[in-house]
Amino acid sequence: MKEIDYRLVGTGAFYTVASVTLTPADCASDASGVIGKAVELTAVNGGGTVFLEAGEYVLETPVTVRTSVILCGAADPTGDADPKAQTVLLM
């Protein structure tokens, strides 16, 4: 499993915001474990965003997104639904 690197985006009196960016290459054939680990790491560091770069991510098991974490991906600005220009979760 990929070693997850996160960066602190901002801190405050009561929170720390972490940011994790993943690519399809980070996830091998099943992205569930890596995405789950990134969500957990972000949550235990006060919450923040896990961003999935454009590409296809296979999820063979469920991923639970904690309340302090935003899981988001790339959108195709042309509206053509090109999988190479947006984040696609395959379940």
Side-chain angles (χ1 to χ4, degrees):
M1 185 177 298
K2 175 184 169 48
E3 183 67 30
I4 303 294
D5 296 317
Y6 73 94
R7 62 185 175 88
L8 296 179
V9 177
T11 58
F14 303 103
Y15 66 92
T16 301
V17 180
S19 174
V20 177
T21 299
L22 298 174
T23 67
D26 295 332
C27 300
S29 61
D30 179 16
S32 305
V34 174
I35 294 172
K37 183 177 177 183
V39 167
E40 186 63 26
L41 178 65
T42 303
V44 299
N45 281 286
T49 302
V50 175
F51 178 74
L52 304 177
E53 290 189 354
E56 295 182 342
Y57 298 80
V58 175
L59 301 177
E60 294 182 4
T61 58
V63 174
T64 302
V65 180
R66 308 252 308 257
T67 57
S68 62
V69 177
I70 297 169
L71 179 64
C72 62
D76 181 1
T78 66
D80 293 335
D82 178 2
K84 293 180 181 171
Q86 61 188 355
T87 300
V88 178
L89 300 178
L90 302 171
M91 297 179 239

